[in-house]
Amino acid sequence: MQKRMRFVAVNGSERPDGNTRELLAHAAELLAEHGVDLEVINLGELKLSGCGPCGDCNSRCEPCAVTGDDVPAVVDRMALADGIVWAAPVHGFGPATTMQAFIERAGVGYLRFQRPLTNKVGGVVVIGRRYSHTEVYNQLVANVLLNRMIMVGSGFPAILYGNHRGEALADTEGVEMLDRMLHRMVAMARLLAEHRELTGRDALATGYANERDDRWFARRYATVGQA
């Protein structure tokens, strides 16, 4: 018997009770009907340090040396999940500051080394008043793919329109797209789990466990500091 699945949603909004949180509460209810637990990580409630001036990210092979914030713990929680949902509002024609800061710090400081999100099912939901939804959506999709996650097509993207609290949930077409995405994520996660159970191996195994130790990286940076 397969274990109960668990998804993690990263809420990139700094607001404690806005549209993003309401949509993720809706997502949790839908996933529960499929026997999937959803843990929502509200970045606005955590301590996040922005990337600093150290500048050695492209030549180091170990996680970030900056300590004292919640980023490593969030990365660990994502690494244990079967699926990851990036959820962010549009602020200033881009993703909310909390989401952008987390993506930079987690990606450069931790995820790039072992790619612990490899082959987890990924999904993206974007919420905003009217503008730049597609640009933010595409940025988050690129991050899903960068981390070697699997993103399943589900029709139109999970983009929802709303400004004041409650308006995004009233976007019936957007909510339908969110629901379709979640249904497909569950189906794909179960398919991958069944394959692992039957074969004892990952269906999409990669030979590059650590991008900072591969031959391309070694060639590119072998002479750094020697010129």
Side-chain angles (χ1 to χ4, degrees):
M1 178 182 295
Q2 291 184 3
K3 68 179 179 67
R4 187 176 176 90
M5 285 195 165
R6 175 177 163 272
F7 284 9
V8 163
V10 179
N11 177 3
S13 175
E14 71 276 19
R15 296 180 177 133
D17 58 353
N19 282 304
T20 310
R21 181 170 286 197
E22 285 193 340
L23 289 170
L24 292 178
H26 167 83
E29 293 179 359
L30 185 148
L31 290 172
E33 295 174 0
H34 287 281
V36 177
D37 296 322
L38 178 66
E39 177 188 5
V40 178
I41 298 175
N42 298 302
L43 296 181
E45 299 174 352
L46 304 179
K47 181 179 179 181
L48 302 177
S49 302
C51 286
C54 46
D56 64 349
C57 301
N58 281 326
S59 58
R60 62 187 294 130
C61 296
E62 300 83 26
C64 183
V66 175
T67 60
D69 69 7
D70 295 316
V71 173
V74 175
V75 170
D76 290 343
R77 287 152 74 183
M78 291 193 297
L80 295 174
D82 300 289
I84 309 290
V85 177
W86 295 121
V90 179
H91 290 170
F93 298 96
T97 301
T98 47
M99 177 60 93
Q100 183 64 35
F102 176 75
I103 284 177
E104 291 179 6
R105 179 113 153 72
V108 172
Y110 299 92
L111 296 174
R112 77 189 317 175
F113 302 110
Q114 301 295 340
R115 292 296 178 201
L117 306 186
T118 296
N119 295 344
K120 297 184 186 300
V121 182
V124 171
V125 55
V126 170
I127 308 96
R129 186 177 73 85
R130 188 169 297 277
Y131 306 107
S132 296
H133 294 66
T134 302
E135 290 84 350
V136 173
Y137 181 86
N138 289 340
Q139 178 184 340
L140 296 179
V141 167
N143 193 264
V144 167
L145 300 178
L146 173 66
N147 281 290
R148 301 177 183 169
M149 289 189 274
I150 301 167
M151 188 164 182
V152 294
S154 54
F156 293 107
I159 289 176
L160 296 99
Y161 290 83
N163 186 25
H164 299 294
R165 181 181 178 183
E167 291 181 352
L169 271 178
D171 178 1
T172 54
E173 182 177 353
V175 171
E176 174 64 22
M177 296 308 109
L178 172 61
D179 292 354
R180 291 184 186 184
M181 180 190 79
L182 294 171
H183 287 306
R184 296 271 286 172
M185 287 181 67
V186 172
M188 176 58 76
R190 285 189 174 143
L191 182 65
L192 294 171
E194 289 171 2
H195 183 277
R196 284 191 293 269
E197 185 175 338
L198 289 172
T199 67
R201 61 182 179 83
D202 198 317
L204 294 169
T206 174
Y208 294 98
N210 186 329
E211 293 180 0
R212 293 299 169 236
D213 287 339
D214 68 22
R215 286 173 293 178
W216 176 88
F217 180 76
R219 287 198 308 270
R220 183 175 176 87
Y221 292 102
T223 58
V224 170
Q226 298 179 17

